[in-house]
Amino acid sequence: MLKIFQFILDWSEVWALFIPLSVLLLKKQPARLKLVVFYVWIALIINLSIDLVWKFRNILPAAYNSNNFLYNVHSIVRFYLFSAFFIRLDQPFLVSLKKLLPICFTIFIIINFTFFENFFDYWKLSSRLLSTEAILLLFYVLQYYLFKINENVATKITNSDFWIITGLGIFVALNFFIFLLYNELTVRLQNFAISLWSVHNISYIIFNLFIAKGFHESGKQ
């Protein structure tokens, strides 16, 4: 039973995305959510590739049996799509800083993978990239809530933005320290690091449940 549960959890990065996708089949989403819709589709392609490489790593050629660079791709795609989503929200709050962060992130990527890390590192994830993405997205989430507080208007729980951003906030808040310390843990406490990744997978399921809720609520607005 435990092995079945672990198998389901291991593949959650793929099947969890079918939760919001199932809502998309029933409800057409407004233009303001198109970046989130695009993220769900592209995340499915990337995550399916990640899990297939992991599943068939023993029969793939040595040069192609590592999926670490795909996590880097996913991290970059997720940041740019959600930063653009936040920038397009009708929130004239810290707007200059919100527009500056993608530029800073781009500079960080260029410097990091030119001088410090290999984007296609066979042995490890880029903890630096994933944790930087998480903390920047967490900033976007917090500024969203600060704007709502300063606006002095109660946020409707039926607001699709609220559900999607809350799900993103839960995901990045839970995973920031996992991303930051993961490579170090794999060296010193490998079994613990593997178990800790289950937290990432569970939080990703939660993230997709909130996206699905946001897609569902968008039809009521």
Side-chain angles (χ1 to χ4, degrees):
M1 188 57 135
L2 187 60
K3 288 185 178 179
I4 295 174
F5 175 76
Q6 189 60 52
F7 176 82
I8 293 172
L9 200 58
D10 288 341
W11 281 88
S12 62
E13 289 175 302
V14 175
W15 64 256
L17 288 158
F18 284 99
I19 302 172
L21 285 174
S22 65
V23 180
L24 290 178
L25 295 176
L26 301 173
K27 290 178 178 286
K28 185 177 180 180
Q29 300 302 306
R32 61 190 176 81
L33 295 182
K34 66 180 180 181
L35 290 171
V36 182
V37 172
F38 183 64
Y39 167 74
V40 172
W41 282 110
I42 198 168
L44 177 63
I45 296 170
I46 296 171
N47 286 355
L48 182 59
S49 301
I50 286 172
D51 282 3
L52 287 176
V53 171
W54 164 73
K55 183 67 176 179
F56 298 107
R57 63 192 181 280
N58 293 326
I59 62 175
L60 289 172
Y64 303 101
N65 66 359
S66 174
N67 59 15
N68 289 329
F69 81 95
L70 290 169
Y71 279 103
N72 295 341
V73 172
H74 191 164
S75 176
I76 292 171
V77 168
R78 183 167 53 219
F79 174 79
Y80 282 125
L81 288 177
F82 275 99
S83 63
F85 171 69
F86 279 103
I87 291 169
R88 292 185 180 188
L89 289 177
D90 186 22
Q91 290 189 342
F93 178 64
L94 299 176
V95 65
S96 297
L97 182 56
K98 287 191 288 186
K99 290 180 178 179
L100 180 63
L101 287 184
I103 299 172
C104 294
F105 187 68
T106 302
I107 295 171
F108 159 77
I109 291 172
I110 294 171
I111 293 175
N112 184 58
F113 290 112
T114 300
F115 299 104
F116 300 106
E117 291 186 313
N118 179 2
F119 187 86
F120 298 95
D121 195 309
Y122 183 90
W123 299 107
K124 63 182 181 179
L125 300 174
S126 175
S127 287
R128 190 176 292 140
L129 171 65
L130 270 67
S131 57
T132 299
E133 177 229 346
I135 199 67
L136 292 179
L137 287 179
L138 187 58
F139 163 79
Y140 279 113
V141 171
L142 293 176
Q143 65 79 34
Y144 171 85
Y145 288 119
L146 285 173
F147 173 80
K148 290 298 183 182
I149 293 170
N150 290 335
E151 195 180 30
N152 201 28
V153 176
T155 301
K156 293 181 179 179
I157 204 166
T158 56
N159 186 299
S160 57
D161 300 340
F162 169 81
W163 288 104
I164 293 170
I165 291 169
T166 299
L168 178 64
I170 292 170
F171 176 75
V172 295
L174 286 175
N175 284 284
F176 171 69
F177 287 106
I178 295 177
F179 292 153
L180 185 65
L181 303 173
Y182 191 73
N183 286 336
E184 188 69 21
L185 289 173
T186 56
V187 173
R188 301 178 184 274
L189 299 165
Q190 188 175 29
N191 290 334
F192 177 69
I194 294 171
S195 299
L196 197 61
W197 198 254
S198 294
V199 177
H200 165 273
N201 289 344
I202 292 170
S203 68
Y204 197 67
I205 296 170
I206 295 170
F207 179 28
N208 280 280
L209 285 169
F210 274 76
I211 292 177
K213 178 65 174 175
F215 287 168
H216 177 74
E217 293 298 334
S218 70
K220 298 179 181 180
Q221 296 174 36

